[in-house]
Amino acid sequence: MFEPKIIAFLCTWCSYTGADLAGTSRKSSPWNIRAIRTPCSGRVAPELIIKAFSEGADGVLVLGCHIGECHYDSGNHRTAKRIPLLSSLLTITGLEPERLRLDWVSASEGVRFSQIAQEFTETVRELGPCKWNAPDLFFATQPEIVEATETKVEVGS
Amino acid sequence: MSNQNVMIPTVGKLVQVKDIAPEVKMFGIELTKGLDNGNSTYRPGQFAFISAFGSGEAPFGIASAVEPGGVLEFAVQRLGGVTTALHELAEGDSVGVRGPLGNWFPMDEFKGHNLLVVGGGIGSAPLRPVIQEVAANRSEYGDLSILMAARTPQHHLFLEDYPEWENIPDCNLHLTVDECDEDWKCEVGLVTDLLKITDPKPKDTIAIMCGPPIMIYYADKVLVEMGFSPEERYVTLEARMHCGVGKCGRCNLGETLVCVDGPVFSMDQVGEFLESYL
Amino acid sequence: MDFISKKSLESWLASVAETKKLYAPVYTDGVLLYQQPNEIEDIVWDFSRPVQSAKEIIFPQSEKMLTIEKNGQNIQIIENLNNDISVIFGVRSCDARGCLVLDKLLVEAEPVDHYYKTRRENTALVGLACEEMGDTCFCTSVGGGPDNSEGLDVMLHRHQDGYLVEIVSSAGEELFNGIEFDRQDIAFNERRFEPEFVLPSQDLLKSSFDSEIWRSESERCLSCRICAYVCPTCRCFDVRDEPGASNNGTEIVERIRGWDSCSGEAYRRIAGGHNPREAKADRLRNRIYCKLHYTQEQSGMMACTGCGRCIDSCPVNIDITEIIGLILEGEPG
Amino acid sequence: MITKKIQEYASSLLADQVVDCVIGYEVGPRRTTRPIFVDQQADTDRLVWNQNCSHNLTVYLRQKLNDTEGRIGIVVKPCDSKTINVLGAENRIDRDRLHIIGIECEGILEGNVKQNADSGELQRRCLACDLTEPLDMDYMIGGSIERKNLPDNSTSNKLSRWLEKATADDRLEYWLSEFDRCIRCYACRQACPLCDCPTCLFEREDSIWTGSSATTKDNRSFHLGRAFHLAGRCIGCGECQRACPMDINLGELNRVLAREMEEQFHHRAGYTVELSPITTILGEGR
């Protein structure tokens, strides 16, 4: 079975503790998740997410505090706007939108963390390996791609 | 020489890491075999690229007279990525060395002349081997005047050396700072003011300058007024460079490349470009 | 000269591609570049010049110089020399001249640049003479010419439905070794081209250093790097360490060199922020002087080959020929 | 004649010392329209107006305002005036030091700058343009013209529509081929009036998020990152793509983000002096 690599950016004030709680209360979380602790979900700059995909992540999970509960007042407001926007940018450039997920998990929601982690892992597993990081795959056939693009333009018009 | 890839550094070991001024550390690298690029030794004025593996490499002027088997010293101010990485290293750590590179002060030609050494801030580092060389062969040179400027007393790189330098026979050491506390016994002001106070005579004297571009530019003007000819005014220049061997192209002053034609120049070579160096 | 039909040339190219890396002008999404063609039919024969010069292959934009393996204080340094055997087909005379300039700067001037030298020695240049000068071309004014075979290994001159083969070097001879030519001993008349303009003398250039034109011409410069990157002789580079994948506790660092351009704002900025070429005028002047004067002084060859790429690609139409004109206008007397 | 009026007005501005310099367009010796900086009355006859005046001259404003003490006159198309609004909202320029000369614009032609002959077609952004006059100006040359809603049959539009319907794999293939050509000359960034960080994130010496090599992967990170930094700010002048020597379809990234900004945040960059919603906190009810 395909085991996806998933990078989870977890806000240290909530979801990181939430993930901890999931562990201490023996809720199972898939081992596919590689957690990276960030000071705030607002710190998760789009470059980090792009970098994660470029380095071979099959999915990226960003978890922050619920709106209104940000330790820095409005850090997660920015996250809430950025991620959907980034998602549309990555989608048009060839990433399945399901591979990037933003959600809110508080420090007390161990169960919720475990649930989201499992759900997301399943989603990504079903999508299969991410091709985002496989430019070599396409290089060999480049001239044909060009042709294909041109003919497809005609179809689309 | 041509069979050797000059871009490959030799791995050296840090044997000394010392804080000498705020944000400035003096690094000593054991000069093991192979570190000298097949040349016999490092001469005053030459430089080397030091690698902090993972952060890149940067050029530094050597800050000590080096004997084979001795220690290569570099004063490194923490400014950019490479220097920050270097500052995180400790004794025993490995660094890469590419050197010696560039030309050197024609110490043989200086023999028999008086020397006026003018240094400012971190830029004064390459002057130390010159002073050490003169001290070691005292009878071969004339009078030695050392003018050192820095932002504050703590920013003087070679505070530890000053007592020793003061005791060199026929040597005047003059210090100045931009700002200071009450304990400071020396001058306050720019190096140009210090030059005017000490009023060196151009007769039989070679002036050597090293420091920030703006200091070199104005100190040079003062020396010109005092009657120093272009051949009597030497300078070591610094420029951003990436190869040190005349390939990467970026350290040019006109058609002159600082890395291979310099970093030591007399003013008859670079005088006309000094303004574009600012 | 020997004559070869286009058809025979194509089968020759196919045989070259079997044993060597063949680069030739190929269109990708409407942009003509030297690339490895998938099919020999993809090769473009009629073109003015590709957007990038042949420099791109011999002196690639980004090149891994060293791989550094770091395990605690144990450091291994591995040299990455590229030993591919390549042939570039369709090289223009201006680009070949560009390679000669690079040879002067990177190989003939000690110490040798091993990365460049290795690729250069392993790459054969097969030229295609231009049938006419492009709109922005001025090779004839800087000492070259569309027929000029200097720096190439083989030069092909269009003749009827094929090409006359001018073997220039022993490497070129080797390439065509055993090839049966369709006809032999055809007379070749080199065409004569008059220079489009006269270049300013080195003295005039020197005295134009403080001219007002540097400010006025550079004012619209965007400080991008197109001119240097498309130039067949620009060779400035930057060296960086970049992290590679770590492997069982061994940290891998790649030391990469990449093109850089003197028109970029940060080109001369040193750590700490001092930048002796902060003004666009100084940067433009440096670039033009490097092309027309400095390299000449350093190596005896002028670093402008008249390909005209910088004129074509500049988004704000900064034009080296126009600047040359302005320098000439400023000539006293 | 708009050209004549620009020349006269610029001349009077310089004569009355209202401005130190007028940024406008001229036609160069190779018949190429390009930016010009006029600081003497005698040179005002070089100023022109034509349908090849594609450059967004506001890109020069910041530097020019830094270099001079006085005010700057600038020839501004209706679309370019949006940039001034964004620059103003971000406190990057002092509006009071500008003298904006608004121009009636019938649209700019495609393919004017690179030496290849112009196609005679209007640029895609002009087909979709809904501005009859600049949003902010000190003087208007020509009357407000009527905007016709023109059909967009451009190849670029066909490509956009194809991309929208394409599968993830096809999109990936298309963009990898585009980004593969990038030579990291940063012309896109330099030509952009809104892209002017003192040190670009993607060029910092200590940047580990994007490599400096011109590999497809790093190129893609650079372009996606750059497009994102312009989200809600890009006014769609298309200078990035026009400047690109490799003809990479950069405009498409900006268009996608602009569409999302409008759909998700009801924000159209530059129509008001307002910051991109991406830099502000969530509004009420969101």
Side-chain angles (χ1 to χ4, degrees), chain B residues 40-216:
Chain B
S40 55
T41 187
Y42 281 72
R43 296 182 180 87
Q46 287 194 296
F47 68 97
F49 270 82
I50 309 296
S51 294
F53 293 116
S55 295
E57 56 176 7
F60 299 98
I62 54 162
S64 61
V66 189
E67 299 301 322
V71 174
L72 259 184
E73 286 186 309
F74 297 94
V76 178
Q77 182 176 19
R78 194 166 68 142
L79 276 172
V82 179
T83 49
T84 302
L86 282 172
H87 269 238
E88 279 162 16
L89 299 180
E91 282 174 25
D93 285 349
S94 301
V95 292
V97 181
R98 285 201 295 124
L101 300 167
N103 68 353
W104 51 88
F105 289 106
M107 296 306 290
D108 286 341
E109 289 174 29
F110 292 172
K111 282 179 182 165
H113 293 277
N114 301 323
L115 289 179
L116 170 67
V117 175
V118 184
I122 184 73
S124 48
L127 297 175
R128 188 165 170 251
V130 175
I131 296 166
Q132 288 176 338
E133 160 75 23
V134 174
N137 304 291
R138 191 66 199 90
S139 59
E140 294 179 30
Y141 299 89
D143 292 348
L144 175 65
S145 305
I146 304 170
L147 275 61
M148 289 285 176
R151 233 181 300 162
T152 71
Q154 293 79 37
H155 282 85
H156 274 274
L157 295 185
F158 304 118
L159 280 174
E160 278 186 23
D161 294 311
Y162 290 162
E164 204 180 299
W165 292 357
E166 276 182 321
N167 289 327
I168 300 173
D170 297 321
C171 172
N172 302 306
L173 177 67
H174 302 282
L175 306 176
T176 187
V177 291
D178 294 346
E179 49 190 78
C180 64
D181 48 30
E182 286 162 4
D183 295 337
W184 183 248
K185 305 265 186 321
C186 303
E187 300 290 337
V188 178
L190 298 173
V191 79
T192 45
D193 303 331
L194 194 59
L195 264 174
K196 284 171 187 160
I197 293 168
T198 53
D199 195 23
K201 297 287 170 280
K203 191 171 180 303
D204 273 344
T205 303
I206 306 271
I208 303 172
M209 290 173 282
C210 192
I214 196 89
M215 181 210 96
I216 291 178

Side-chain angles (χ1 to χ4, degrees), chain D residues 203-275:
Chain D
E203 258 202 303
R204 281 173 58 143
E205 265 182 40
D206 57 350
S207 175
I208 54 168
W209 312 124
T210 309
S212 61
S213 314
T215 58
T216 312
K217 219 163 85 174
D218 289 342
N219 294 346
R220 174 174 61 187
S221 303
F222 164 64
H223 286 297
L224 295 185
R226 200 186 85 84
F228 196 83
H229 293 174
L230 288 166
R233 305 170 59 225
C234 171
I235 58 105
C237 67
E239 281 293 277
C240 47
Q241 189 164 354
R242 193 188 61 80
C244 180
M246 293 294 156
D247 203 19
I248 300 170
N249 193 4
L250 296 171
E252 186 64 25
L253 301 177
N254 295 327
R255 274 191 294 272
V256 167
L257 285 173
R259 191 187 64 211
E260 291 297 320
M261 286 310 288
E262 202 174 342
E263 280 174 13
Q264 294 181 24
F265 305 104
H266 313 292
H267 172 81
R268 293 174 80 198
Y271 280 83
T272 48
V273 185
E274 198 183 2
L275 285 174

Side-chain angles (χ1 to χ4, degrees), chain C residues 41-299:
Chain C
E41 292 82 66
D42 293 341
I43 296 175
V44 180
W45 294 71
D46 291 314
F47 59 94
S48 67
R49 59 180 129 64
V51 179
Q52 282 272 44
S53 78
K55 170 183 87 170
E56 194 191 13
I57 290 145
I58 307 172
F59 185 77
Q61 169 145 30
S62 314
E63 185 167 32
K64 255 183 229 168
M65 304 177 92
L66 305 170
T67 304
I68 298 159
E69 293 181 1
K70 203 168 143 190
N71 198 340
Q73 292 312 319
N74 185 8
I75 288 172
Q76 295 285 330
I77 301 175
I78 302 151
E79 181 187 33
N80 299 320
L81 285 179
N82 184 303
N83 289 308
D84 290 344
I85 309 290
S86 317
V87 172
I88 314 178
F89 172 78
V91 177
R92 292 307 197 193
S93 179
C94 46
D95 285 5
R97 204 177 168 77
C99 292
L100 287 179
V101 176
L102 293 176
D103 289 350
K104 286 256 183 211
L105 296 168
L106 301 176
V107 182
E108 287 170 37
E110 286 274 335
V112 170
D113 182 328
H114 277 239
Y115 301 93
Y116 174 80
K117 186 171 174 247
T118 313
R119 283 189 200 258
R120 178 77 166 107
E121 281 171 355
N122 291 334
T123 307
L125 305 180
V126 179
L128 211 51
C130 300
E131 289 176 59
E132 54 186 40
M133 305 261 296
D135 285 344
T136 48
C137 293
F138 56 100
C139 57
T140 52
S141 308
V142 291
D147 283 344
N148 202 318
S149 58
E150 256 181 297
L152 292 162
D153 295 298
V154 179
M155 179 59 134
L156 302 171
H157 302 273
R158 181 72 181 266
H159 182 79
Q160 293 162 0
D161 59 341
Y163 292 86
L164 294 178
V165 183
E166 179 188 353
I167 304 282
V168 187
S169 73
S170 54
E173 206 170 307
E174 219 168 283
L175 274 178
F176 278 88
N177 200 1
I179 300 293
E180 286 205 12
F181 291 106
D182 297 298
R183 265 177 281 159
Q184 282 164 345
D185 286 333
I186 293 181
F188 169 65
N189 302 320
E190 198 169 336
R191 295 166 295 167
R192 294 223 159 267
F193 291 89
E194 290 303 314
E196 289 183 29
F197 52 82
V198 185
L199 287 171
S201 68
Q202 298 293 318
D203 283 343
L204 177 58
L205 280 167
K206 263 189 179 164
S207 64
S208 308
F209 195 78
D210 294 319
S211 164
E212 165 64 17
I213 59 172
W214 305 117
R215 193 195 60 81
S216 60
E217 286 303 296
S218 66
E219 209 152 20
R220 60 181 187 278
C221 176
L222 295 169
S223 301
C224 75
R225 301 165 190 185
I226 295 179
C227 46
Y229 286 9
V230 298
C231 177
T233 71
C234 271
R235 59 73 156 77
C236 285
F237 61 83
D238 191 44
V239 178
R240 276 175 187 244
D241 277 9
E242 282 182 8
S246 63
N247 182 10
N248 278 339
T250 304
E251 203 184 314
I252 310 253
V253 176
E254 280 158 1
R255 185 157 288 175
I256 293 167
R257 81 164 171 196
W259 294 349
D260 203 345
S261 158
C262 59
S263 38
E265 197 269 334
Y267 176 77
R268 277 295 285 273
R269 194 197 291 146
I270 54 172
H274 177 64
N275 187 354
R277 259 183 239 143
E278 210 162 15
K280 287 195 279 192
D282 294 348
R283 296 202 291 271
L284 178 70
R285 177 174 64 192
N286 184 71
R287 183 178 149 71
I288 302 291
Y289 269 59
C290 182
K291 295 293 118 186
L292 303 178
H293 180 54
Y294 297 157
T295 313
Q296 175 90 47
E297 300 277 303
Q298 285 164 357
S299 70

